[in-house]
Amino acid sequence: MLASESTDRIAMLRRQVAQLERARGRGEVRADPEAVEELAGVPVHDIAPAAIRAAPTSAFRGGRVANAWAGAETTALPFGHPEVDAATGGLKRGALHDVSPAGAPDMASATGFALACAGLLLRAAGRDSLWLWVRAEMAGREAGEPYGPGLAAFGLDPSRLVAVTAGDTADVLRAAEEGLAARAFGAVLIEPFGDDRRLDLTACRRLSLIADGGRATGILLRTGGIPGPTSAVTRWRISAAPSNGGRQPGNPVFAADLARNRFGPVGAWMMEWRTDEQSFRAPRARPKAEGAGPLAVPLSGRLAAASGDRPSRPPGSGAVVPFRSR
Amino acid sequence: MVLTAKHRSAVRLAHVDGQAVRLGLQPGLGLADARARVPGLDVRAADPEADAAFLDRLCDWAQRYTPLAGRRIGTSSVDPEFPYPEDFTLVLDIAGCAHLFGGEEALAADMARRLERQDLTVSIGIASTIGAAHALAAFGRGGRLQAGEERRALAGLPMAALRLDATTVDALARVGLKRIGDLMDGPRAPLTARFGRAPLIQLDRALGLADEAFSPRLPVAPYCAERRFFEPIAREEDVRAVALSLIGALAERLEAAGEGALHLRLSLWRVDGALAHVEAGLSRPSREATVMQDILCRRLDSLAEDFDAGYGFDCVTVAVTEASRRDAEVLSLAGPDTALELTRFVDRVGARIGRGRVRRLKFYASHIPERASRAVPAHVAEEASFPATDVLAGDPPERPIRLFAQPELVEAMASVPDGPPLRFRWRRVTHEVKRAEGPERIAGEWWRQEAPTRDYFRVEDAEGRRFWMFREGLFQVETNHPRWFVHGLFA
């Protein structure tokens, strides 16, 4: 652990770096000489590697940023959840994000959160954008294979998915690197399985660098593994949270713990994914589930409308009262 | 030494070596008889599959002489009752290739030398018909026949050399027709009436009066480039460099023909006779040398662990085994071409980890959940969209994002006859169900086999984990003890 004063210093440096990044996004650079000197004075091992990388080199030269694309590259997409957006500035594109479940049974929730992030990215990239899901064979066996109709219901286009099944972590990383470099994919989900020594900081940094250079966004989904070192810009630990559905399961709600954030504070929030709006939001106060125990709530929505010649819900007829068997 | 094979519950000799022949043993003899004649017999079991595999390898190896190398040359003089010894013949069509080796005799000598170095006994016959060459190699003394010499050369050989089945040979022998020459000048009609058409057809084929088709084992590559070395090369970098230069040569030829490669094969002939193939496929015709090099090298990389150069390779070929028309393209300046980028990605990753592992999801019209979506290899999949789901505002997803290939059996407590689960135990963890929705009843497809009806429930446990579960079988209609399964996971 770092001493508290060095933690403070790093926090200060992060702020400076974030300032520089923002300036770079606007195309103007105001290199704060104090900050630069401050950074130069810190022993290297005291600075998080992220802090070194985040400082744009051109800022140190004090000149204008040469890369005209810099602004477009670093755009961030709003999550739709005000507090999360305030803390993170949105989901950063052209970067690597790290999503892991809080415990083994939360792997579906972690998958859901990663897919929701992919959904945000794909919505921004356009409906026709391809997306890639590279996963270890074992992950598919343990947590289930991607299911087309389910992905469609979640708001993603399964016909635009390229799914790669790799035998081991080395192949997962190889395919992921190709995918990030390919410039064909709006989002790249990388799902290795288990605690593998090959998924070390170096491998992670390679992915980050490729994502950075190729304008692709990677989401590292660590199903069923102990979260290892990461160089991702954000790291999320996701656990499941009860939904707001009343007596039937509602829209997915995640208890998201932002354990690492290169651009701002960390924190923990409840986030609800709205499949119809393709956006997160803060879950509303949960209506109490009446009665004890899960009594059969009949099907809602589309599935109940079995007849082909009628709309799934009568227009303007008010609430549909479910038929109760008891 | 003898090799045995079991036939009709009797163990018989399948192959015998030279020494055994001198002791009077021959294929077809019962093992007990053979043991009685030669007490100290070395007996091993024959392995026809291994023999066939070896012959296939040898046949591929022989491609260093000609692309037209095949096995199976039709009927051979084997007894259908006891199909041993099998046909150990390879056929090479060396027309147009011999001059590369300094003539037909030089080619045969080179081949014999290389095969003998591998401890193989070979007999090589060269003739203008397959029948004559086979007869010469298998029953004569080998060597080379000029066109027109067949008649004289074959006349003295036994009837079996015509590749007739054993019963026909026996029947011919019984009437005194033992040598091929006996057939040549006889009256044809009575022979055909008595022994069928086979003897005369085979004779005509051997003499070049009738055509005989022959199919090479591997399809002939439309484009092929090859390089031979006096000193074998062993280092991987060298192999790579050679492959690259060969691909460069192929690319030019493809360009000239207006075609693109779909499948590439790199063949490496090792000095000691082993042959290694490295194959790679492309999902769209390509003739850019860089792309082809890239794919082949990735494939080579992935084989690097079991890449055994041994004493080195003395011949390297790169063949385009599948090509198709490809017209020149207009370069787009608008930005990256997603479709092109995708095919490149599919090829690269496919070459590295296997083409079948890069897949696209395809919708299949079925109400059985696991059949509704299937993964097909990306290089054969055509784009087909899933039917649009009309999501109602605020409605949660009805289908899980992840589906288990095999539904997982759980212990569940549920109210009968068709209540949702109240509590269940999945992967050794007990889940208390707090919310449930269902049942969504999905019956099996009656036009397939009878499958029990499934009642699907979306359930959420106390921690907020959401599952897609079903009860298999209708209570007291299909089963009295319905089983519960977890089929998928919701986000």
Side-chain angles (χ1 to χ4, degrees):
Chain A
M1 284 302 289
L2 294 162
S4 71
E5 59 172 18
S6 112
T7 318
D8 286 349
R9 175 176 278 178
I10 285 181
M12 190 271 289
L13 284 170
R14 285 226 173 103
R15 270 199 302 281
Q16 293 282 1
V17 166
Q19 218 169 27
L20 288 171
E21 290 259 330
R22 276 201 291 276
R24 185 178 173 226
R26 286 198 299 270
E28 51 172 301
V29 173
R30 286 181 296 107
D32 189 347
E34 230 178 273
V36 174
E37 266 174 36
E38 193 72 57
L39 195 62
V42 180
V44 174
H45 58 84
D46 268 2
I47 312 175
I52 301 175
R53 278 197 27 73
T57 43
S58 50
F60 289 97
R61 279 188 233 112
R64 288 190 66 81
V65 177
N67 188 352
W69 292 102
E73 265 178 52
T74 52
T75 44
L77 302 169
F79 283 102
H81 186 298
E83 292 167 36
V84 178
D85 283 335
T88 58
L91 182 69
K92 191 170 178 292
R93 294 170 83 180
L96 184 72
H97 301 272
D98 193 318
V99 176
S100 52
D106 294 313
M107 56 199 174
S109 293
T111 310
F113 186 81
L115 286 175
C117 292
L120 292 175
L121 292 165
L122 291 172
R123 196 179 58 164
R127 286 308 297 174
D128 276 349
S129 170
L130 287 162
W131 56 297
L132 176 69
W133 189 342
V134 182
R135 65 200 194 286
E137 218 165 7
M138 209 44 212
R141 227 171 277 156
E142 273 297 302
E145 306 289 348
Y147 183 51
L151 295 173
F154 200 75
L156 293 151
D157 188 354
S159 61
R160 304 298 289 168
L161 168 65
V162 177
V164 175
T165 320
D168 56 11
T169 307
D171 281 351
V172 169
L173 292 173
R174 215 168 270 140
E177 285 175 14
E178 293 281 0
L180 285 170
R183 299 211 294 171
F185 302 108
V188 179
L189 255 68
I190 306 153
E191 187 181 11
F193 189 80
D195 185 26
D196 198 304
R197 211 174 297 160
R198 265 170 296 193
L199 190 64
D200 55 4
L201 194 57
T202 316
C204 211
R205 220 176 258 154
R206 279 176 66 105
L207 292 176
S208 296
L209 277 173
I210 298 169
D212 204 14
R215 279 178 250 169
T217 313
I219 301 164
L220 185 59
L221 173 59
R222 301 173 186 259
T223 325
I226 306 148
T230 189
S231 65
V233 291
T234 57
R235 161 177 270 181
W236 300 85
R237 287 169 63 77
I238 306 296
S239 45
S243 63
N244 288 328
R247 295 193 55 185
Q248 74 259 41
N251 271 320
V253 177
F254 309 105
D257 176 9
L258 181 58
R260 173 192 158 92
N261 179 10
R262 232 174 68 185
F263 303 110
V266 295
W269 303 275
M270 298 292 267
M271 295 168 82
E272 180 181 352
W273 175 249
R274 294 286 310 234
T275 49
D276 49 345
E277 288 164 12
Q278 288 285 291
S279 167
F280 283 105
R281 72 167 182 200
R284 282 198 237 99
R286 181 148 39 101
K288 281 245 165 69
E290 335 128 28
L295 298 176
V297 172
L299 295 169
S300 62
R302 196 169 66 87
L303 289 175
S307 67
D309 55 343
R310 267 176 290 149
S312 52
R313 266 178 195 172
S317 67
V320 175
V321 181
F323 174 73
R324 296 246 167 82
S325 55
R326 292 205 218 175
Chain B
M1 184 172 115
V2 296
L3 299 180
T4 60
K6 199 165 180 182
H7 179 70
R8 293 212 178 150
S9 72
V11 179
R12 294 173 184 229
L13 304 192
H15 304 281
V16 293
D17 72 351
Q19 207 183 343
V21 172
R22 279 194 291 282
L23 290 168
L25 303 180
Q26 57 193 12
L29 195 69
L31 178 62
D33 293 347
R35 278 242 165 84
R37 285 191 213 172
V38 185
L41 198 58
D42 182 2
V43 182
R44 313 268 170 93
D47 185 351
E49 279 97 35
D51 287 346
F54 173 75
L55 278 178
D56 282 346
R57 276 213 309 282
L58 201 61
C59 188
D60 292 352
W61 173 85
Q63 283 200 321
R64 65 183 289 136
Y65 298 106
T66 165
L68 297 166
R71 286 185 57 201
R72 312 224 164 245
I73 51 165
T75 47
S76 155
S77 54
V78 291
D79 183 354
E81 292 287 296
F82 184 67
Y84 291 100
E86 307 111 284
D87 189 359
F88 283 153
T89 321
L90 295 184
V91 187
L92 309 184
D93 183 350
I94 55 168
C97 303
H99 69 277
L100 299 171
F101 300 87
E104 291 171 354
E105 270 109 357
L107 188 151
D110 180 65
M111 193 169 187
R113 185 171 56 80
R114 285 178 190 274
L115 289 174
E116 269 154 24
R117 227 161 40 190
Q118 297 177 44
D119 282 343
L120 296 172
T121 312
V122 288
S123 166
I124 302 173
I126 301 174
S128 47
T129 63
I130 295 175
H134 171 261
L136 210 61
F139 294 86
R141 304 160 118 207
R144 173 162 166 264
L145 282 186
Q146 296 290 357
E149 286 180 359
E150 292 93 1
R151 219 176 159 77
R152 188 182 48 74
L154 293 185
L157 294 178
M159 199 60 82
L162 279 184
R163 295 176 285 157
L164 300 170
D165 58 64
T167 42
T168 315
V169 173
D170 280 351
L172 286 166
R174 240 175 276 134
V175 295
L177 301 173
K178 291 184 175 161
R179 313 232 150 239
I180 296 176
D182 302 340
L183 274 185
M184 284 177 182
D185 302 316
R188 295 176 74 95
L191 274 173
T192 309
R194 184 151 174 193
F195 303 105
R197 297 174 55 199
L200 288 174
I201 286 183
Q202 291 291 23
L203 180 67
D204 286 350
R205 283 178 174 172
L207 296 179
L209 302 172
D211 287 336
E212 182 169 3
F214 135 81
S215 53
R217 200 182 94 77
L218 294 175
V220 180
Y223 299 92
C224 185
E226 127 178 342
R227 191 159 299 168
R228 282 157 199 271
F229 306 97
F230 285 109
E231 282 294 318
I233 55 168
R235 289 192 316 156
E236 211 182 313
E237 302 89 80
D238 294 345
V239 171
R240 196 168 297 225
V242 171
L244 296 191
S245 77
L246 290 176
I247 287 172
L250 284 178
E252 280 170 26
R253 287 167 54 195
L254 285 167
E255 175 104 50
E259 291 201 304
L262 277 173
H263 200 97
L264 294 167
R265 185 172 63 211
L266 169 70
S267 307
L268 301 163
W269 272 267
R270 222 160 70 182
V271 183
D272 57 358
L275 171 64
H277 289 303
V278 178
E279 302 196 33
L282 295 108
S283 39
R284 59 190 250 158
S286 155
R287 57 168 173 256
E288 290 83 7
T290 47
V291 173
M292 292 193 284
Q293 286 166 2
D294 192 39
I295 298 297
L296 212 50
C297 286
R298 268 160 219 273
R299 195 80 198 108
L300 206 58
D301 277 345
S302 70
L303 300 173
E305 288 90 43
D306 37 46
F307 182 82
D308 179 16
Y311 296 104
F313 304 103
D314 65 346
C315 178
V316 176
T317 68
V318 177
V320 175
T321 44
E322 206 184 328
S324 91
R325 171 114 210 115
R326 202 196 116 183
D327 298 319
E329 279 165 6
V330 180
L331 202 65
S332 162
L333 297 175
D337 178 355
T338 317
L340 183 68
E341 288 281 341
L342 176 66
T343 53
R344 291 236 169 105
F345 170 82
V346 169
D347 289 343
R348 284 178 179 170
V349 175
R352 200 70 185 76
I353 69 174
R355 289 180 99 186
R357 287 174 170 271
V358 185
R359 284 178 267 195
R360 303 287 298 264
L361 293 187
K362 207 161 175 245
F363 174 74
Y364 185 79
S366 169
H367 61 271
I368 304 292
E370 64 268 30
R371 290 169 55 83
S373 160
R374 53 173 71 158
V376 282
H379 64 280
V380 294
E382 68 260 32
E383 188 97 352
S385 57
F386 276 68
T389 46
D390 47 339
V391 182
L392 295 171
D395 255 15
E398 293 141 359
R399 290 283 182 269
I401 48 172
R402 307 193 82 147
L403 194 78
F404 293 110
Q406 286 292 326
E408 302 197 352
L409 185 66
V410 294
E411 300 162 30
M413 206 178 89
S415 55
V416 288
D418 55 1
L422 304 170
R423 182 179 299 127
F424 64 95
R425 199 170 156 77
W426 178 58
R427 292 187 180 172
R428 284 178 281 171
V429 178
T430 306
H431 298 270
E432 291 283 341
V433 175
K434 285 286 175 210
R435 296 183 166 83
E437 185 187 36
E440 181 187 352
R441 183 157 294 176
I442 296 181
E445 293 171 326
W446 55 263
W447 58 93
R448 295 175 179 276
Q449 75 233 15
E450 288 283 316
T453 307
R454 298 172 182 177
D455 274 351
Y456 276 92
F457 289 89
R458 289 170 41 215
V459 304
E460 181 178 305
D461 73 358
E463 282 80 41
R465 292 169 192 135
R466 289 163 279 271
F467 302 89
W468 206 38
M469 301 180 63
F470 69 86
R471 176 180 39 226
E472 192 188 57
L474 296 176
F475 183 65
Q476 284 185 339
V477 178
E478 290 174 348
T479 173
N480 279 336
H481 301 284
R483 295 189 299 170
W484 282 89
F485 292 88
V486 166
H487 200 178
L489 303 175
F490 287 96

